[in-house]
Amino acid sequence: LIFGEMGEGMKQPRVSIIILNWNGLNDTIECLESLKKITYNNYEVIVVDNASSSDDVVVLRKKFGKYIKIIENDKNYGFAKGNNIAMRKVMKEEKSKYVLLLNNDTVVDPVFLDELVKTGESDEKVGIVGGKNYYYNIGRKKEKVWYSGGSIRWWSGTIIHDNDQKDNLSKETDYIVGSLMLIRVGLIKKIGIFYSKFFVYCEDVDLCLRAKKEGYRAVYNPNSIIWHKVGKSSGLGSPFFIFYSVRNRFWLIRRNYNSTKYYLFIIAFLFYKQPIWLFKFLFNGQF
């Protein structure tokens, strides 16, 4: 796929950048500092605080002032509902053409948003756009790729990240990861926001699958780059991570595939994936 650039003098569409914070003050500050250096001009930043236990909101207001708008939630609503609250606000105001979901534990490249919008503007059927996620490193070196597109194996519920270091071509992909997700507001109005019961994990994949059913495409642009502190909030391999990632895959398959595929997935889980995982946990002493 080849995508053209926005023409000279063409007005930049407005983007609402949504960052969810939950007890991640230092990460959120680093993320916001990197955003202040981007080359794109027509955007707003909305920080959603999911009832952090410390004084995160006070510090963020003092440090960033009018650069950010803050939504204070009364409890931790998770990734799905926390972002939904902000997306509803953006839709109600009807000022932005796109929303950008950005993890607070990321640092962005200065041109990352220009690249995302360029892809979005190339075709009105491009509904969701993502970029290259590198593992976070202090020197911002382009070292190890965490995400460069992805695919779904419905029969096993496996959500696969491409992580090809040399994958430098724009391409259509099965899903865009929620750490960096540009979504057309018109698409959200048509298919709805995240399924809030997911709480965390798989809500991004679910949204992409729903978009595809309506004829929209999810596209990966390798020139939009961020560095991601993967698993910072939930901890990869933790009981929290395992519970939500496994439960939500059942919901993901049931919501987006027919009954035959769902029951085949259950069989594959019970007799293939679950025994492997149980052996792995017991072998590692994770009783």
Side-chain angles (χ1 to χ4, degrees), residues 178-192:
S179 56
L180 177 62
M181 195 178 207
L182 184 78
I183 312 169
R184 193 180 293 270
V185 171
L187 169 64
I188 304 172
K189 290 180 178 179
K190 189 170 185 178
I191 70 170

Side-chain angles (χ1 to χ4, degrees), residues 7 24 43 48 74 116 173 188 209 241 244:
Y43 71 95
V48 182
D74 56 355
L116 292 177
T173 185
I188 304 172
L209 290 175
F241 171 82
Y244 282 104

Side-chain angles (χ1 to χ4, degrees), residues 80 195-203 239-255 262 265 269 277:
Y195 180 56
S196 62
K197 288 186 178 179
F198 276 124
F199 192 78
V200 64
Y201 308 133
C202 295
E203 67 286 297
F240 176 93
F241 171 82
I242 292 166
F243 172 76
Y244 282 104
S245 63
V246 173
R247 183 201 67 172
N248 290 358
R249 289 179 200 202
F250 278 83
W251 288 356
L252 177 72
I253 304 304
R254 187 170 187 176
R255 283 169 53 82
Y262 177 61
F265 159 70
F269 178 82
W277 285 353

Side-chain angles (χ1 to χ4, degrees), residues 8 35 42 52 61 79 85 105 116 118 124-125 128 134 139 176-177 180-181 185 193 201 208 218 230 275:
E8 289 214 17
L35 272 176
N42 193 13
S52 295
R61 278 205 176 104
F79 184 87
I85 290 169
D105 61 347
L116 292 177
K118 182 169 65 176
E124 64 180 13
K125 282 300 182 180
I128 304 174
Y134 285 99
I176 299 298
V177 72
L180 177 62
M181 195 178 207
V185 171
I193 49 185
Y201 308 133
C208 290
V230 178

Side-chain angles (χ1 to χ4, degrees), residues 18 50 60 74 80 87 94 115 183 185-186 211 221 227 230 232 254 277 285:
I18 300 171
N50 254 351
L60 290 170
D74 56 355
M87 284 193 280
E94 295 188 333
E115 291 292 334
I183 312 169
V185 171
N221 181 342
W227 290 265
V230 178
K232 190 70 181 292
R254 187 170 187 176
W277 285 353

Side-chain angles (χ1 to χ4, degrees), residues 5-235:
E5 296 189 14
M6 288 185 288
E8 289 214 17
M10 186 180 293
K11 184 179 179 181
Q12 291 179 327
R14 180 177 168 86
V15 180
S16 293
I17 302 175
I18 300 171
I19 299 172
L20 191 68
N21 177 73
W22 180 63
N23 297 322
L25 180 61
N26 292 334
D27 290 332
T28 301
I29 289 174
E30 187 176 15
C31 179
L32 289 169
E33 291 290 359
S34 71
L35 272 176
K36 292 176 76 173
K37 300 173 184 176
I38 66 174
T39 56
Y40 199 87
N41 296 313
N42 193 13
Y43 71 95
E44 66 171 347
V45 180
I46 302 171
V47 176
V48 182
D49 187 77
N50 254 351
S52 295
S53 57
S54 190
D55 57 351
D56 292 25
V57 170
V58 174
V59 174
L60 290 170
R61 278 205 176 104
K62 184 176 181 180
K63 187 171 183 63
F64 293 99
K66 294 182 179 180
Y67 179 70
I68 60 175
K69 298 177 182 178
I70 297 181
I71 297 174
E72 294 184 70
N73 289 336
D74 56 355
K75 64 179 181 179
N76 180 10
Y77 288 112
F79 184 87
K81 189 173 180 179
N83 278 302
N84 282 349
I85 290 169
M87 284 193 280
R88 285 196 186 96
K89 182 178 187 298
V90 172
M91 286 190 288
K92 184 177 180 181
E93 292 177 348
E94 295 188 333
K95 294 179 181 179
S96 295
K97 185 174 183 179
Y98 297 96
V99 294
L100 173 70
L101 306 185
L102 181 67
N103 271 25
N104 74 313
D105 61 347
T106 63
V107 174
V108 304
D109 182 77
V111 301
F112 92 110
L113 188 50
D114 299 82
E115 291 292 334
L116 292 177
V117 173
K118 182 169 65 176
T119 300
E121 291 293 283
S122 67
D123 186 339
E124 64 180 13
K125 282 300 182 180
V126 174
I128 304 174
V129 188
K132 183 173 288 186
N133 284 232
Y134 285 99
Y135 282 94
Y136 177 87
N137 60 78
I138 300 298
R140 307 291 178 272
K141 297 176 183 178
K142 297 173 182 178
E143 292 179 336
K144 187 177 179 182
V145 175
W146 178 66
Y147 171 87
S148 60
S151 57
I152 305 164
R153 292 177 183 167
W154 63 264
W155 65 272
S156 63
T158 304
I159 300 167
I160 301 169
H161 282 201
D162 297 338
N163 52 19
D164 186 352
Q165 188 77 22
K166 298 179 181 179
D167 189 355
N168 293 316
L169 296 175
S170 292
K171 61 183 180 182
E172 191 168 344
T173 185
D174 283 354
Y175 72 95
I176 299 298
V177 72
S179 56
L180 177 62
M181 195 178 207
L182 184 78
I183 312 169
R184 193 180 293 270
V185 171
L187 169 64
I188 304 172
K189 290 180 178 179
K190 189 170 185 178
I191 70 170
I193 49 185
F194 287 141
Y195 180 56
S196 62
K197 288 186 178 179
F198 276 124
F199 192 78
V200 64
Y201 308 133
C202 295
E203 67 286 297
D204 47 2
V205 183
D206 177 73
L207 188 73
C208 290
L209 290 175
R210 284 157 47 204
K212 290 194 172 193
K213 289 177 183 177
E214 294 295 329
Y216 288 88
R217 306 205 314 271
V219 177
Y220 161 75
N221 181 342
N223 298 316
S224 177
I225 294 171
I226 65 170
W227 290 265
H228 184 196
K229 304 168 187 175
V230 178
K232 190 70 181 292
S233 60
S234 59

